[in-house]
Amino acid sequence: MKYNYRDGIFGSRFVGLDNFKFLAESGKLLSLTKNTILYNLAFILLGNFLAVFVAILLNEMRSRWFKKVSQTIMFLPYFISQVLVGFLVYNLLNYDTGFVNGILTGMGMERWQPYADPTVWPVLLVVIYLWQQTGYNSVVYFAAIMGIDGEMMEAAKVDGANGFQRIRYIILPSLKPTIVILLLFALGGIVKGNFGLFYNIVGSNSILYSTTDIIETYVYRATMTDFNFFTASAVGLYQSVIGFVIVMVVNWVVKKIEPDYALF
């Protein structure tokens, strides 16, 4: 539909697949989808790995005071606005006045130009995302660890199991259902990019688009001056259909391997 606010959804004109044309005819559909999926795969896989790692480290800490302080410090970045994150990154990496280049020139080295080098941004964006999200994501796994039967852990200690053996044979198997379910849920949004992160850090620097442009940022730029509800909705449908297919396929694979861990 070519949606008209006055006429509503049923009174608007039916236009078939015209709403998908601007994305399909842009010549960037494959590259945008590839960038979005690859970034989200890195976010999901590395994010969950680090979250599990951090949760296990917190569980192994013996000092309650140090554990609470560590949790608070790791949790704080999650509450920082993406706008402020972009501001901090810019002040760290700016060519003329950035903190990093200040250190490099002080050591007699050449200045670094990250805003003119698209190849470094996949790593930078993943690192920034992990810094901001790992503390928050670890809470679910830490709660799952707290739910493990304490008698099982004590019995393992009595039997002579050291810390690494308890992690390998008790904690990790107990976390397996939680990890699989969270991965399945995350895969449903694998084609939906983190607009706030990418737009506030990369902005309108076209030099970096080849490695940082995702579906959300491209659609925003394409419709920024003449926003239309129907085009944005068509893109959202495209993302949802792909995400649905991926979840169904992965859930089918999980069901074949471990039926108890599948969503349905």
Side-chain angles (χ1 to χ4, degrees):
M1 310 294 292
K2 186 171 182 179
Y3 185 74
N4 185 299
Y5 290 95
R6 182 185 60 190
D7 298 329
I9 185 67
F10 296 107
S12 299
R13 182 166 57 90
F14 180 74
V15 293
L17 297 176
D18 285 354
N19 293 332
F20 295 91
K21 281 186 178 179
F22 102 99
L23 189 60
E25 294 177 351
S26 67
K28 297 183 177 181
L29 181 59
L30 290 179
S31 63
L32 291 171
T33 304
K34 182 194 72 173
N35 284 349
T36 307
I37 290 177
L38 289 178
Y39 274 113
N40 279 329
L41 274 177
F43 294 161
I44 293 169
L45 298 178
L46 292 177
N48 279 277
F49 172 79
L50 278 180
V52 171
F53 181 71
V54 168
I56 292 173
L57 288 182
L58 289 172
N59 182 65
E60 294 300 311
M61 290 181 182
R62 294 293 169 256
S63 171
R64 293 176 60 87
W65 175 85
F66 186 73
K67 182 185 295 187
K68 290 186 178 296
V69 171
S70 301
Q71 279 183 293
T72 303
I73 293 173
M74 288 186 293
F75 210 85
L76 281 176
Y78 178 78
F79 296 101
I80 299 177
S81 165
Q82 298 283 15
V83 177
L84 183 55
V85 171
F87 178 76
L88 292 172
V89 172
Y90 180 77
N91 280 275
L92 282 172
L93 303 180
N94 181 266
Y95 179 77
D96 296 315
T97 60
F99 178 74
V100 173
N101 277 320
I103 294 177
L104 292 177
T105 53
M107 297 172 62
M109 300 172 66
E110 293 185 1
R111 291 179 181 270
W112 183 36
Q113 299 185 15
Y115 286 100
D117 183 6
T119 60
V120 302
W121 284 96
V123 175
L124 290 176
L125 287 168
V126 170
V127 169
I128 294 166
Y129 175 87
L130 294 177
W131 166 76
Q132 192 171 25
Q133 300 289 333
T134 298
Y136 176 81
N137 293 337
S138 67
V139 172
V140 177
Y141 295 114
F142 186 65
I145 293 174
M146 292 294 97
I148 297 174
D149 188 358
E151 293 182 359
M152 189 188 305
M153 300 293 286
E154 292 299 325
K157 289 182 181 179
V158 172
D159 289 340
N162 57 35
F164 290 105
Q165 290 172 325
R166 292 196 300 272
I167 291 171
R168 179 179 178 182
Y169 296 108
I170 298 177
I171 294 179
L172 288 179
S174 299
L175 289 179
K176 190 176 179 181
T178 305
I179 294 172
V180 172
I181 290 173
L182 290 179
L183 283 175
L184 284 172
F185 279 125
L187 288 173
I190 198 170
V191 195
K192 296 180 183 289
N194 190 329
F195 174 80
L197 175 69
F198 284 81
Y199 184 74
N200 285 293
I201 292 177
V202 177
S204 57
N205 188 346
S206 59
I207 298 174
L208 307 179
Y209 286 166
S210 60
T211 59
T212 63
D213 211 13
I214 59 173
I215 294 174
E216 272 79 1
T217 53
Y218 174 77
V219 171
Y220 173 75
R221 292 196 312 273
T223 60
M224 182 170 54
T225 55
D226 183 25
F227 178 77
N228 48 69
F229 177 78
F230 37 89
T231 299
S233 298
V235 175
L237 178 61
Y238 165 75
Q239 293 173 305
S240 298
V241 168
I242 294 180
F244 174 75
V245 172
I246 291 174
V247 169
M248 294 297 290
V249 171
V250 175
N251 186 73
W252 178 80
V253 173
V254 171
K255 198 170 184 178
K256 290 291 183 181
I257 300 173
E258 287 284 353
D260 294 337
Y261 297 160
L263 290 175
F264 47 85

